[in-house]
């Protein structure tokens, strides 16, 4: 297991500075993480810092609430790709999902996937706000809309990834979609548990601590 290649090295705090982002990229290069995950403003900076490396740039869209209009999310996603992002982590419109407006949620995911083309789209559910039935519906909508990944959490809600949620998501999508576990994953044992469940990516701000404890 190449643990480092499961990790999206993440910094999404409101007070993240330019130097913080540069340091994030330096760590990602040192430990050969799969990607860094940053807010849209910092995509161009991260792309510049990671030029001529294998580390990808992932960017969040509609973060962290998901309640922006579809047009705004599509614009943000396209701008991020144009500035060098390889992957987009979008937050669904949680309120619309819970209102039963499933076709709107699906169409939004599809619209973002369309504008980013072959680039990877991860759909963030924010499971802490959803019932199990709503999580299953979100899985179906993401699959129908052509997403590449489904993702447990933003890390900014009332809860993060759980074993139970990842098992539920895996049962719903099988091998048709990949799964990213994110939120509250801070140590090696926890990361390994999720990987053993079948997740393809771990979103964490504790990537360095996780991989160095494995040495």
């Amino acid at each position: 297991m190449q643990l480092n290649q499961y990790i999206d090295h993440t910094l999404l705090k409101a007070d993240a500075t330019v130097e913080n982002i540069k340091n994030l990229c330096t760590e990602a290069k040192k430990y050969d993480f799969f990607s860094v995950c940053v807010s849209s403003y910092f995509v161009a900076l991260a792309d510049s810092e990671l030029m001529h490396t294998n580390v990808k740039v992932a960017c969040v869209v509609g973060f962290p609430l998901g309640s922006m209009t579809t047009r705004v999310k599509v614009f943000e996603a396209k701008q991020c790709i144009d500035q060098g992002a390889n992957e987009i982590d979008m937050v669904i419109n949680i309120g619309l999902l819970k209102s039963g407006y499933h076709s709107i949620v699906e169409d939004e995911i599809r619209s973002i996937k369309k504008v980013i083309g072959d680039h990877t789209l991860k759909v963030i559910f924010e499971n802490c706000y959803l019932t199990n039935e709503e999580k299953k519906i979100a899985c179906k909508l993401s699959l129908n809309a052509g997403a590449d990944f489904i993702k447990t959490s933003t890390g900014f809600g009332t809860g993060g990834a759980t074993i139970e949620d990842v098992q539920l998501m895996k049962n719903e999508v099988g091998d048709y979609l990949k799964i990213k576990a994110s939120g509250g994953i801070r140590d090696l044992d926890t990361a390994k548990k999720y990987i053993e469940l079948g997740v393809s990516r771990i979103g964490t701000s504790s990537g360095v601590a996780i991989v160095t404890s494995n040495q």
Side-chain angles (χ1 to χ4, degrees):
M1 178 194 299
Q2 286 186 295
L3 185 62
N4 55 320
Q5 282 295 297
Y6 283 87
I7 291 177
D8 288 348
H9 195 36
T10 303
L11 180 56
L12 298 169
K13 291 182 178 179
D15 59 352
T17 66
V18 168
E19 285 306 311
N20 293 154
I21 299 299
K22 288 181 176 179
N23 184 61
L24 184 82
C25 294
T26 297
E27 291 174 342
K29 288 185 282 188
K30 179 177 179 180
Y31 295 101
D32 192 27
F33 292 136
F34 188 89
S35 79
V36 298
C37 186
V38 297
S39 59
S40 56
Y41 184 86
F42 290 120
V43 167
L45 173 61
D47 180 59
S48 176
E49 291 291 311
L50 295 169
M51 195 174 297
H52 309 304
T53 75
N54 293 322
V55 182
K56 308 294 186 185
V57 178
C59 174
V60 292
V61 163
F63 195 87
L65 301 178
S67 54
M68 304 73 177
T69 64
T70 294
R71 182 178 295 183
V72 169
K73 289 181 180 177
V74 168
F75 179 87
E76 185 178 21
K78 184 179 187 305
Q79 183 180 60
C80 291
I81 295 298
D82 290 345
Q83 292 183 341
N86 307 105
E87 304 189 338
I88 298 295
D89 291 32
M90 65 159 287
V91 186
I92 63 167
N93 192 313
I94 301 160
L96 289 187
L97 178 69
K98 295 185 74 67
S99 298
Y101 291 12
H102 300 155
S103 62
I104 298 177
V105 176
E106 182 178 323
D107 287 344
E108 179 174 273
I109 299 168
R110 184 177 290 109
S111 296
I112 293 174
K113 179 58 182 173
K114 182 178 179 180
V115 80
I116 71 171
D118 292 336
H119 294 87
T120 297
L121 177 62
K122 309 190 198 89
V123 180
I124 307 173
F125 293 177
E126 200 69 299
N127 283 331
C128 60
Y129 298 131
L130 305 180
T131 66
N132 283 345
E133 185 58 31
E134 288 165 346
K135 295 165 194 173
K136 292 176 182 179
I137 292 168
C139 288
K140 180 180 179 181
L141 300 179
S142 300
L143 183 59
N144 290 346
D148 301 288
F149 274 77
I150 49 178
K151 177 176 170 181
T152 60
S153 330
T154 64
F156 284 74
T158 57
T162 69
I163 297 295
E164 294 74 20
D165 281 344
V166 169
Q167 289 174 327
L168 180 151
M169 294 162 76
K170 186 67 175 176
N171 288 340
E172 287 299 307
V173 304
D175 295 326
Y176 290 102
L177 292 178
K178 296 178 180 179
I179 298 174
K180 177 176 175 179
S182 183
I185 303 172
R186 301 186 180 93
D187 60 77
L188 176 62
D189 287 343
T190 304
K192 283 185 172 179
K193 285 178 183 176
Y194 284 110
I195 292 169
E196 288 166 1
L197 284 175
V199 306
S200 299
R201 208 76 65 77
I202 299 287
T204 180
S205 58
S206 303
V208 173
I210 289 171
V211 297
T212 53
S213 66
N214 197 35
Q215 294 174 353

